[in-house]
């Protein structure tokens, strides 16, 4: 199929066929990262701007490595070193970037909807690397790739997402993505961290972690996002760990071959025990590796590649 999308902004706007095309392309490109010379000339002469208003380790590095593996030219801009600190608006920044004629702009922004606005203002393709508490489509895609790689399918699987659902763009994108691909998604966390109406996305809510992870094929653990909370919505980290932390003992409720996932960064001993994060069921580092492959696939497909 020919991939005709201009932008990657959220999971809602991707069809099942487009998601499959991205996952299939990522699988074929993943091999490049295992070569002794990890580079192909596919996107030579293309320009990619990485514009990060928020701090990032995995996502930013992953996008940059993905672009370089395909031989694209890259420029990285952070909010603290750009004219934003002088009061420049996102719209003006977009117009100035557009004047330099980049091919792709990757943006992470604290405001929900910022990538959508940018996409309307520029001819370049825009990839959402996370906007506020709204969406993080590339994280959901790499999570789905990891599960499909390990299980051979997404349809019919039971996926439990545990933790701070209310403040998590990762949770929202994964709920939409996994359900769209035929999986069942179950959520658990303190009532103060489960947003009203989240069931409208098709997920099932449980308030006890044991109920959510019972018979789960995949358990995705989320950290508490203190930086997005106006006020603390739980008594203490110790109490959170006792009620909702994923421990070896609690894992007994899930399937023996359950996959343990975490988008990072991990707060060990709070939402997940080190024995679980580093245990035989963990695919956390595979998620990171697949992040490079997914982002390579998106650059390739957006810039005219065919599956």
């Amino acid at each position: 199929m020919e991939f005709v999308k201009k932008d990657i902004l959220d999971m809602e706007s991707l069809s099942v066929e487009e998601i499959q095309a991205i996952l299939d392309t990522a699988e074929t490109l993943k091999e490049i990262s295992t070569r002794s010379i990890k580079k192909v000339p596919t996107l030579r002469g293309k320009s990619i701007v990485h514009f990060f208003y928020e701090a990032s380790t995995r996502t930013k590095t992953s996008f940059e490595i993905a672009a370089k593996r395909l031989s694209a030219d890259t420029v990285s801009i952070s909010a603290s070193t750009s004219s934003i600190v002088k009061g420049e608006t996102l719209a003006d920044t977009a117009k100035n970037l557009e004047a330099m004629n980049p091919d792709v702009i990757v943006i992470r922004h604290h405001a929900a909807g910022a990538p959508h606005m940018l996409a309307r203002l520029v001819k370049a393709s825009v990839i959402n690397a996370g906007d506020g508490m709204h969406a993080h489509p590339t994280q959901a895609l790499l999570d789905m790739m990891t599960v499909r790689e390990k299980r051979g399918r997404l349809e019919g699987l039971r996926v439990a997402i545990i933790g701070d659902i209310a403040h998590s763009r990762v949770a929202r994108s994964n709920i939409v993505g996994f359900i769209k691909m035929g999986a069942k998604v179950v959520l658990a966390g303190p009532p103060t961290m489960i947003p009203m109406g989240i069931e409208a996305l098709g997920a099932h809510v449980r308030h006890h972690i044991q109920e959510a992870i019972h018979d789960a094929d995949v358990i995705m653990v989320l950290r508490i996002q203190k930086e997005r909370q106006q006020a603390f919505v739980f008594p203490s980290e110790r109490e959170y760990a006792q009620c909702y932390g994923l421990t070896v003992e609690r894992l007994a409720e899930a399937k023996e071959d359950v996959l343990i996932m975490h988008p990072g960064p991990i707060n060990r001993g709070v939402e997940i025990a080190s024995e679980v994060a580093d245990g035989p069921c963990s695919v956390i580092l595979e998620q990171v590796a697949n992040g490079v492959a997914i982002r390579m696939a998106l650059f390739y497909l957006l810039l005219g590649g065919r599956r």
Side-chain angles (χ1 to χ4, degrees):
M1 66 170 280
E2 189 172 4
F3 196 85
V4 294
K5 289 202 96 61
K6 172 185 173 282
D7 310 297
I8 303 294
L9 301 175
D10 49 44
M11 293 306 296
E12 285 88 344
S13 59
L14 291 173
S15 68
V16 170
E17 292 74 26
E18 286 166 340
I19 292 170
Q20 286 172 337
I22 293 166
L23 299 183
D24 292 345
T25 304
E27 274 183 22
T28 63
L29 294 175
K30 187 176 179 179
E31 175 270 330
I32 294 167
S33 294
T34 64
R35 299 178 186 178
S36 55
I37 298 174
K38 303 172 181 65
K39 206 174 186 76
V40 293
T42 311
L43 297 185
R44 186 181 290 158
K46 299 293 186 181
S47 304
I48 296 171
V49 174
H50 299 107
F51 199 2
F52 278 64
Y53 281 68
E54 288 186 318
S56 174
T57 301
R58 277 157 300 278
T59 304
K60 187 177 182 185
T61 306
S62 179
F63 269 114
E64 290 184 357
I65 288 175
K68 286 180 166 66
R69 296 226 162 125
L70 295 171
S71 298
D73 298 316
T74 64
V75 178
S76 290
I77 309 168
S78 64
S80 60
T81 57
S82 74
S83 292
I84 294 157
V85 297
K86 301 175 184 176
E88 185 172 73
T89 65
L90 176 60
D92 284 333
T93 302
K95 290 171 189 171
N96 281 279
L97 289 174
E98 175 76 357
M100 300 178 205
N101 204 25
D103 296 291
V104 179
I105 300 173
V106 178
I107 182 171
R108 168 170 285 192
H109 201 282
H110 53 81
H116 299 68
M117 186 184 88
L118 183 66
R120 290 193 297 270
L121 294 172
V122 300
K123 293 195 295 286
S125 290
V126 174
I127 300 177
N128 181 3
D131 62 327
M133 296 184 289
H134 173 235
H136 196 347
T138 63
Q139 179 70 43
L141 288 164
L142 72 89
D143 290 340
M144 289 190 284
M145 178 182 178
T146 305
V147 173
R148 195 176 79 158
E149 204 173 59
K150 295 290 182 181
R151 289 289 172 268
R153 62 189 171 93
L154 297 173
E155 191 173 356
L157 296 181
R158 180 182 169 97
V159 180
I161 304 179
I162 313 296
D164 187 359
I165 310 295
H167 301 94
S168 177
R169 56 194 174 206
V170 172
R172 283 174 177 78
S173 288
N174 269 304
I175 291 167
V176 173
F178 274 101
I179 289 175
K180 194 171 274 193
M181 301 306 285
K184 179 181 180 180
V185 177
V186 183
L187 312 174
T192 50
M193 293 185 186
I194 304 288
M196 290 287 288
I198 193 73
E199 295 94 337
L201 295 179
H204 303 267
V205 175
R206 303 287 183 269
H207 290 299
H208 297 289
I209 184 173
Q210 289 91 340
E211 293 176 35
I213 67 176
H214 177 70
D215 212 27
D217 297 285
V218 180
I219 302 173
M220 189 175 298
V221 188
L222 306 174
R223 70 184 176 87
I224 302 161
Q225 300 201 30
K226 293 179 186 175
E227 73 276 13
R228 300 192 193 282
Q229 297 176 6
Q230 303 303 312
F232 287 134
V233 291
F234 62 99
S236 68
E237 288 187 350
R238 180 189 292 269
E239 187 167 332
Y240 182 89
Q242 287 174 347
C243 295
Y244 292 98
L246 188 61
T247 60
V248 172
E249 292 74 29
R250 285 193 169 127
L251 261 191
E253 294 282 344
K255 290 184 177 176
E256 198 172 322
D257 62 348
V258 66
L259 302 178
I260 305 299
M261 308 181 82
H262 195 305
I266 298 172
N267 289 313
R268 290 171 180 266
V270 182
E271 73 268 12
I272 188 168
S274 286
E275 299 81 20
V276 178
D278 302 328
C281 294
S282 173
V283 293
I284 294 170
L285 294 180
E286 282 96 326
Q287 288 174 267
V288 177
N290 286 337
V292 175
I294 282 290
R295 286 150 186 152
M296 286 172 72
L298 291 177
F299 288 145
Y300 173 75
L301 291 168
L302 287 174
L303 295 175
R306 291 170 180 266
R307 180 164 65 87

